[in-house]
Amino acid sequence: MTSSVDFRATATAFLTKEFELAPRFGPVHGRRHTEYTADWEFDRATATRVFIIHISSAEGDRLEERSATHARWTLKNLRKRRREIFPEGVVTLTTGYIEGWLPDGPISLF
């Protein structure tokens, strides 16, 4: 995707097509932008968005069946595995959203 794309619309189209989900977006989302020299992992500037979506238990079951890389974790497990999760800041974003201490809107991920 290019950085000018509508991230939410693209995420919705992907989740609908690949997993037959009808995502309901939470009011908080993560944003991360890197420049060429800002991150050793990329050889180009990047723009990343992390969305929190609400899905039913049945949709969650279907997601896990169709994708071996998706799993449901408790907040305790999420915090314990925080170094395995990319981009950095996703655990804080998710925890803050669930616990209610993040304001609505975009949150920078570093």
Side-chain angles (χ1 to χ4, degrees), residues 41-61:
E41 296 181 69
F42 300 103
D43 61 358
R44 64 191 178 286
T46 64
T48 303
R49 300 290 184 276
V50 177
F51 296 110
I52 296 174
I53 62 167
H54 301 262
I55 58 175
S56 69
S57 291
E59 288 173 318
D61 292 341

Side-chain angles (χ1 to χ4, degrees), residues 4-5 7-8 23 28 52 56 70-71 76 86:
S4 62
V5 74
F7 284 88
R8 188 177 295 228
V28 175
I52 296 174
S56 69
H70 289 81
K76 181 179 178 180
F86 181 84

Side-chain angles (χ1 to χ4, degrees), residues 63-96:
L63 182 64
E64 283 184 302
E65 287 173 9
R66 296 180 81 170
S67 176
T69 61
H70 289 81
R72 294 180 226 191
W73 292 347
T74 63
L75 281 180
K76 181 179 178 180
N77 287 338
L78 191 65
R79 286 181 178 124
K80 185 187 290 186
R81 300 181 76 172
R82 70 187 177 281
R83 289 187 176 85
E84 301 171 41
I85 300 169
F86 181 84
E88 190 176 336
V90 169
V91 173
T92 303
L93 175 77
T94 305
T95 302

Side-chain angles (χ1 to χ4, degrees), residues 8-44:
R8 188 177 295 228
T10 302
T12 299
F14 173 78
L15 292 168
T16 301
K17 179 181 177 190
E18 296 296 321
F19 300 106
E20 299 175 4
L21 297 176
R24 294 168 308 283
F25 289 88
V28 175
H29 68 275
R31 301 175 76 164
R32 183 170 189 242
H33 296 275
T34 62
E35 299 299 327
Y36 173 73
T37 58
D39 195 324
W40 63 268
E41 296 181 69
F42 300 103
D43 61 358
R44 64 191 178 286

